[in-house]
Amino acid sequence: MSMRKLFAATTLVVVAAAASVPKCAAFPSSMIEYSSGFKQPKPPLVQPEFTANFVQHKWDETLSHIMTGYIDNSPAKGMVRVNEAYDDAPASSVFNYANVTGDGLVDNVMTIYNGTTPYVWQGYVNSNYPIFQQDFLAKADAVFGGIVTRQFNGDVASVSVIPVTVYVNSCNVIVGYDYFSPGRRTRVVTDFFNIQVQTGN
Ligand SMILES: *[C@@H]1O[C@H](CO)[C@@H](O)[C@H](O)[C@H]1NC(C)=O
Ligand SMILES: *[C@@H]1O[C@H](CO)[C@@H](O)[C@H](O)[C@H]1NC(C)=O
């Protein structure tokens, strides 16, 4: 194969791979702030079953944690699984949303691979990783907060249910979320990329 043919073949592969990413339409003018045609949209029904890479920054009065990882959001299985890298060891956390307390604490099994045998801990926690159900924004009467530009995902809709703001693209895919909690002046900012939606559930 000549160099030029090889080059052409490589280009074709790249184009085919890009074409498999679903194309999302532009948001209508009715969702654009200060547009004469603006009308607050209904809260979107989101794609609930997905995996994604993420970066997350959590800070409060005393700490600042920046971590990266891979997340599996699955209301069908009642769980969120997070594999993350932070500080000196990789860790894996499973949040079992089938087992929550009256005040919203979630059963969590955390495994830290920091020794010859992994360290395993289980208990109820205040989860940094909410489970995203298809209709959670609609059920909560979420408020549209305009179109905003997010790192990795371009222009997306911001939709808020206190204390969480969720970012949703025009294909109804969640691309990240922020939340705050006043007690310890906590804020968590999370962005997803390499998002794979599982349809047909
Ligand atoms: C692993 O991390 C846990 C939780 O911080 C700690 O209790 C344990 O001593 C650590 N193990 C090693 C071998 O460092
Ligand atoms: C529910 O979660 C708690 C706290 O992690 C745990 O002790 C308990 O075994 C869990 N129960 C079930 C049925 O999984």
Side-chain angles (χ1 to χ4, degrees), residues 96 98-101 105-109 121-125:
N96 176 12
N99 179 3
V100 294
T101 65
L105 300 180
V106 184
D107 173 26
N108 173 218
V109 177
W121 179 89
Q122 179 171 19
Y124 287 114
V125 296

Side-chain angles (χ1 to χ4, degrees), residues 2-201:
S2 76
M3 212 52 182
R4 181 176 294 181
K5 268 198 190 137
L6 186 66
F7 206 78
T10 313
T11 311
L12 268 183
V13 169
V14 170
V15 169
S20 73
V21 176
K23 234 203 130 26
C24 301
F27 288 105
S29 63
S30 60
M31 286 175 73
I32 308 297
E33 281 164 83
Y34 302 113
S35 155
S36 64
F38 181 86
K39 187 172 180 290
Q40 176 167 207
K42 290 225 160 69
L45 292 177
V46 298
Q47 295 283 355
E49 302 285 321
F50 66 87
T51 59
N53 285 83
F54 72 90
V55 287
Q56 181 176 86
H57 190 177
K58 172 181 181 172
W59 63 84
D60 69 17
E61 280 169 349
T62 58
L63 62 80
S64 169
H65 283 177
I66 302 175
M67 63 177 82
T68 58
Y70 194 77
I71 190 166
D72 182 351
N73 183 81
S74 178
K77 294 186 212 125
M79 62 116 225
V80 174
R81 190 178 56 237
V82 180
N83 298 322
E84 68 198 19
Y86 173 69
D87 203 4
D88 61 350
S92 175
S93 242
V94 177
F95 299 92
N96 176 12
Y97 279 87
N99 179 3
V100 294
T101 65
D103 49 0
L105 300 180
V106 184
D107 173 26
N108 173 218
V109 177
M110 182 179 65
T111 309
I112 303 176
Y113 299 91
N114 61 349
T116 44
T117 47
Y119 166 85
V120 182
W121 179 89
Q122 179 171 19
Y124 287 114
V125 296
N126 192 355
S127 175
N128 284 347
Y129 301 94
I131 193 164
F132 297 116
Q133 317 266 1
Q134 184 186 44
D135 60 356
F136 82 106
L137 292 170
K139 269 197 180 146
D141 270 334
V143 177
F144 178 67
I147 306 291
V148 297
T149 304
R150 298 295 292 178
Q151 197 162 3
F152 312 132
N153 292 287
D155 287 356
V156 296
S158 92
V159 189
S160 299
V161 188
I162 287 175
V164 186
T165 295
V166 181
Y167 301 101
V168 185
N169 73 14
S170 66
C171 294
N172 296 327
V173 173
I174 294 176
V175 306
Y177 61 94
D178 298 343
Y179 77 82
F180 70 94
S181 146
R184 290 169 52 85
R185 297 196 297 131
T186 305
R187 177 147 181 93
V188 178
V189 182
T190 307
D191 281 294
F192 298 151
F193 57 100
N194 183 31
I195 305 162
Q196 311 271 342
V197 171
Q198 281 83 51
T199 48
N201 285 291

